[in-house]
């Protein structure tokens, strides 16, 4: 694990000189808004500092961070969560290795918890109501860590209370198609309880889809086929392997939106306007409860009715039938029913974010943000503590350089530990609401490192196109963990790659959904964002995610023994994210390549070509979209040429600032608050949720599907035209932002 | 009329030296985005240049501009309007006195015109349908300019076609209260034709209000009491005085919103999505036609029914009765009815803006915008050509200095001539839609000079608080027209003043509604905006506006003989607006005093105190609003202190830029796209339309009124709380933007 040699030659000779210059330049006064000497305004990224940071990021310290962070359960707003707030504050206020300042911001947010007095239950009952079988109310205490009072029992957060009872039906993953298929097979869904497996659609969607068919309650479990590559026996699972034990249950939020449910678009201060929780939307319409596959097996392997389709079958060692009700030769009477008792409660709780700041020397009003959530479902060793352990190590290394006077970034760096992410990205969303204007004006980029290590095989990055180049630059200069001798980049390209029309074969950067705290930054604020992790070799496992995800088995030993022994993947992520952070904070020109959006736009345009004929049948002209994409491409190419020309000369600080403003603000130009009136927060016309089947601009794709599904009503086609115009206006606006600034 | 002496002493000695420095610094290369030498980055406003500009602004050239601009009618999109586009382009592309570049942008917008084949008519008919009396279809050709084929007949733009007929009722100004009073007096409104006077409420509102009572058609006229200080005889009116002749009719747009009616939030490019005009909203629901007071007198003085209330009486020399129908001893039969035939047509037309740009030497990506509309209803000498004549003279003076190499502004200046303002600020609104992102990122301020001279008495300025100080600075250094020897400022304060808690007695700056092209800049984009004009001595006239407003009598001679003989008021406005423009474009620190918002907030807060008790009865805490105002005040005060400290030293260019970004963007922080979901474009939480009676934050005031009017429903009180939270969040966000930039 060494900082790769390519740098050695380059910086070797310049190192001492460089350090001298830095020490000279960065003896910065510490008052608020204290000026940097203007001499430093033309300082570029210092490769020696970058090398020092890479070297100092320590795998063992990350391991010790993880041990501390995950030693107790720290559910959002629990005493241990609050203790970790203090731990973060202490670290970031440390006189030897802390940041310039650190503070907390607190929000009063609506969370959902199971009742302690009335545990949620899932029972099989006979026609007289006698209980024949009960599912576990907690996971088996396998390692001694699953039994404490702070281990929250498995539940579906925000599922409403209720005690529905009915015959059991198996509904596969609970997708719309799954319920349609059951209806086609004439399986009675009205007043039934459906058993679904995790996967396919979001958690909340299972209940939303079910309720449309009159289903009374929903169970969810994790099938061993989907998570354990089929393994299901106790001696095949944790602590004997990384696999999920039979009693393990994935907890999770079933809220459909993100942010505090009661204060959309407003920071959840104590005095803020709040929706009445009866009026709040996005909660599951019917009770749901998750169970382990050990219990699911008892229910599912005794179901009657027709045999479920082949792709509905799983790894429980029996044929899965559809129901309704139990089979005649099973352990339950045929008219046995399932009773689901959910006693979840909504509670207003105080949740904290912790913010730590390193003041920029030259442009303190430009912010590079780096964050992760702090709250977990149980011990949360992997999720989120692998990320927080890296965050603490990276802030320690940078803080130490800062406190020694060795270094200060050009731009400000903001580290953040978000609260209540597991309930729906709540802390980060409230932050973007509270600091909306400031972030819109000044945020350069947001780096998210949530689960930093899913597995040891390869880097995995999701982000918007402008961040591709800086991630590539970083990944090319860091050794991959293991003995391959490859750089992270060269290892990465073996696992995830695509053929780029511009660059040839490159690693593929994924798109950003709403799976972690980057969502409000990209979708609500239009800030270039990314999520960085190490992950699987997909040829070796088909697990949906790491198997103990959101269970009480996600512990320090799980990481230390199975996920990343030696913590070299943690170190690789720390180095990659740290290098990206330094490049964004210290480079003279922001390392965001806006012209990398051209490939995305081209691919969206190509996909849209499939719609062209039908669009033109409805008198919707396709030409303006083609022109708008070409306009953007041309503007981006010319813009990059102007940067290249400037780099050759000695640009003055204002010229650099003007270019950097264009780079920073390009992502903002894709926002349109009128684009998706039905969505909450989503306003980025390129990355809003796409439900349509055509992989093009989401608004266009969705409106097109709607027009097809509604039998081609004129109003639906008008919406297609409107979405097309919104995209065209956004692309023209984006191109305008990249043009020479005195051209209107 | 001389540039006041106060400057003479100050700049006298430094003048030659100053000029030398300027010539040295501003020999700027002319390529796109060409860099300014960094030496000029610390250049402040050059007082010698300012003096030169003030001296060169020539009253006679403004007069000649006006003569040319108003010599023919130039209704939006008419051939003469297009000819003026070419005139502007030619002026701005002139090699001796033009700008760096000029171009047009064209939009395809929905306008409304009367039919040439079927003129609109207003007739009195008897019970057999025979026509007893017909109103004029055009104004009397008094000066030879009212008769040409390009004089559009009087009409109500966007009023729907139709031929309603019914008994006549007098409805005063057509306000909600007026119709309530008629209802109380049991005057039958169903299927009637109502006659209303201009004033009180907006044009479109008269039809909207009337339609609620089943009224079939509306007439509107201008009462001599409201416009002519009572004068109504031909020999008392134009061309014998500035008064409106008896046949004069105010035209106008009756569209309720602004911008192209078919493309809200999208630039009206040819291919843009368009609402079907049947689905478009904001048009009057029933036919309307404006008439002259000569005809109104025949109708109104023959009305029957009860005597109208005292404050409904006017200047037509008879008692005004309410109707319905005619009086028994008049010239019409009692059962005579009024037939209104409206044949207006909606038409898609191409309307152009003209944009002229002077590239900034140091910060070309900061734009100071200066604009006025070009289109008129008829000759439009006053409206808008008094403004355009000033615009052309100001751009000539600056262009000449530019072309000579004497001067180049620090920031870019954008001159604009908007199309189709009279139909609803259409050109400017489409411009803000097309360049939304760029303007949001880069626009420093918008200066609007529409009608530059209403009368000769005093300056009148409307704007947001941050522009007060720069207008005061400018006005203090320019002589007022006339022989008073006072500065424009000292003259102004005699007519419009208020007692400021900060400054003592100062001229009062009015607020910005939606009366001219500043509306999209302030309400939709949050750009600090102002409107500048010379206006009346209110002790000498109570005319609603200058009497020939929107009539065929608004001609060059009208201005030359009555409004501003000698054009000294035009020159005063040119100097004031020119000085403001130069100060905004050339000052090192932007001359926007954001702390002047504190007085506004304080006054809103004090007004809100009246609601406090009732709010707290409904569990809405008032404290957070008080705290938020105090937070803003504190942040603004500290911010100004930091600027003062920086001014004492030698701030580097980036420090100045950071401060200026805060100054520029403060206004943006008051926007909230969620605040007013029912409004179009309005998103500034301090300046949205206020219908509530309490003079506080408009959203709060309106929601409070609504809660009172709906009998205190919980949902209405929830909206009060929501609006309060929106204001608090905006003020906290505004304060955050003013804090030291590295404090989060």
């Amino acid at each position: 694990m060494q900082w790769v040699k390519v740098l050695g030659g380059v910086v070797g000779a310049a190192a001492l000189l460089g350090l001298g210059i830095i020490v000279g330049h960065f003896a910065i006064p510490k008052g608020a808004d204290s000026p940097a000497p203007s001499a430093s305004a033309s300082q570029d990224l210092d490769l020696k500092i970058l090398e020092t940071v890479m070297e100092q990021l320590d795998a063992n310290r990350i391991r010790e961070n993880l041990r501390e962070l995950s030693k107790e359960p720290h559910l959002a707003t629990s005493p241990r969560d609050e203790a970790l707030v203090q731990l973060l504050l202490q670290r970031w206020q440390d006189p030897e290795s802390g940041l310039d300042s650190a503070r907390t911001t607190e929000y009063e947010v609506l969370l959902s918890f199971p009742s302690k007095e009335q545990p949620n239950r899932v029972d099989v009952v006979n026609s007289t109501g006698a209980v024949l079988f009960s599912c576990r109310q907690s996971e088996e205490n396998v390692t001694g860590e699953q039994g404490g009072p702070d281990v929250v029992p498995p539940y579906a957060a925000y599922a409403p209370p209720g005690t529905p009872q009915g015959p059991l039906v198996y509904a596969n993953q609970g997708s719309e198609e799954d319920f349609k298929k059951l209806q086609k097979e004439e399986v009675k869904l009205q007043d039934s309880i459906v058993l679904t497996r995790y996967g396919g659609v979001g958690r909340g969607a299972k209940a939303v889809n079910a309720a449309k068919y009159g289903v009374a309650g929903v169970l969810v479990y994790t099938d061993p086929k989907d998570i354990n590559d089929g393994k299901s026996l106790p001696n095949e699972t944790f602590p004997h392997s990384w696999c999920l034990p039979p009693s393990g249950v994935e907890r999770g939020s079933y809220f459909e939106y993100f942010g505090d449910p009661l204060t959309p678009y407003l920071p959840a201060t104590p005095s803020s306007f709040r929706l009445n929780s009866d009026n709040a939307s996005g909660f599951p319409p019917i009770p749901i409860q998750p169970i382990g596959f050990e219990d699911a097996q008892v229910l599912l392997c005794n179901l009657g009715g027709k045999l479920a389709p082949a792709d509905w079958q799983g790894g429980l060692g029996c044929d899965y039938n559809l129901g309704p009700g139990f089979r005649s030769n099973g352990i339950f009477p045929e008219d046995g029913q399932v009773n689901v008792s959910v006693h979840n409660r909504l509670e207003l709780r105080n949740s904290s974010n912790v913010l730590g700041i390193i003041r920029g020397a030259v442009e303190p009003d430009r912010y590079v943000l780096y964050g992760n959530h702090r709250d977990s479902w149980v011990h949360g060793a992997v999720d989120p503590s692998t990320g927080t352990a890296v965050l603490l190590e990276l802030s320690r290394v940078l803080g130490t350089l800062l406190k020694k006077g060795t270094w200060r970034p050009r731009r400000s760096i903001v580290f953040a530990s978000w609260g209540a992410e597991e309930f729906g990205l709540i802390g980060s969303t409230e932050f973007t609401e509270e600091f909306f204007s400031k972030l819109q004006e000044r945020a350069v980029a947001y780096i998210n490192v949530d689960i930093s290590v899913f597995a040891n095989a390869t880097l995995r990055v999701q982000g918007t196109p402008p961040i591709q180049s800086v991630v590539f630059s970083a990944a090319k200069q860091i050794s991959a963990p293991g003995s391959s001798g490859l750089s992270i980049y060269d290892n990465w390209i073996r696992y995830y790659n695509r053929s780029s029309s511009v660059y040839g074969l490159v690693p593929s950067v994924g798109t950003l959904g709403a799976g972690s705290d980057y969502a409000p930054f990209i979708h609500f604020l239009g800030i270039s964002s990314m999520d960085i992790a190490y992950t699987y070799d997909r040829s070796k496992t088909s697990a949906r995610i790491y198997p103990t995800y959101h269970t009480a088995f996600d512990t320090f030993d799980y990481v230390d023994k199975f996920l990343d022994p030696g913590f070299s993947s943690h170190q690789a992520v720390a180095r990659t994210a740290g290098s990206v952070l330094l490049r964004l904070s210290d480079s003279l020109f922001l390392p965001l390549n806006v012209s990398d959006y051209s490939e995305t736009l081209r691919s969206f345009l190509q996909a849209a070509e499939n719609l062209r004929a039908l669009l033109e049948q409805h008198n919707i002209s396709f030409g303006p979209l083609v022109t708008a994409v070409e306009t953007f491409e041309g503007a981006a190419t010319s813009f990059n040429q102007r940067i290249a020309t400037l780099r050759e000369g000695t640009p003055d600080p204002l010229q650099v600032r003007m270019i950097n403003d264009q780079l920073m603000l390009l992502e903002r130009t894709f926002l349109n608050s009128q684009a998706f009136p039905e969505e909450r927060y989503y306003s980025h016309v390129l990355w809003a949720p796409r439900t349509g089947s055509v992989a093009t601009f989401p608004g266009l794709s969705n409106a097109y599907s709607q027009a097809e599904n509604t039998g081609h009503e004129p109003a639906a086609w008008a919406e297609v035209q409107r979405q097309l115009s919104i995209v065209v206006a956004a692309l023209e606006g984006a191109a305008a932002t990249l043009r020479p600034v005195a051209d209107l």
Side-chain angles (χ1 to χ4, degrees), chain A residues 295-374:
Chain A
D295 289 325
Q297 183 178 39
V298 176
L299 300 177
L300 196 43
C301 293
N302 283 290
L303 258 190
K306 292 185 200 165
L307 183 65
D311 57 343
W312 291 32
Q313 299 297 324
L316 292 176
C318 64
D319 284 338
Y320 295 9
N321 296 327
L322 297 178
F326 296 108
R327 60 187 164 90
S328 56
N329 50 351
I331 64 170
F332 300 126
E334 287 180 69
D335 64 352
Q337 297 196 336
V338 172
N339 183 296
V340 181
S341 300
V342 173
H343 302 288
N344 299 338
R345 287 195 297 228
L346 296 170
E347 291 182 32
L348 274 184
R349 293 282 189 97
N350 290 322
S351 175
S352 298
N353 294 331
V354 191
L355 303 172
I357 294 167
I358 302 179
R359 198 177 59 253
V362 180
E363 297 182 276
D365 67 340
R366 290 294 174 261
Y367 309 147
V368 182
L369 298 115
Y370 180 113
N372 180 30
H373 68 102
R374 183 185 59 255

Side-chain angles (χ1 to χ4, degrees), chain A residues 6 17 24 46 65 98 119 148 211 252 318 402 483 609 625 736:
Chain A
V6 64
L17 177 64
D46 187 296
N65 287 340
C318 64
L402 182 77
S483 55
E609 282 283 355
L625 182 61

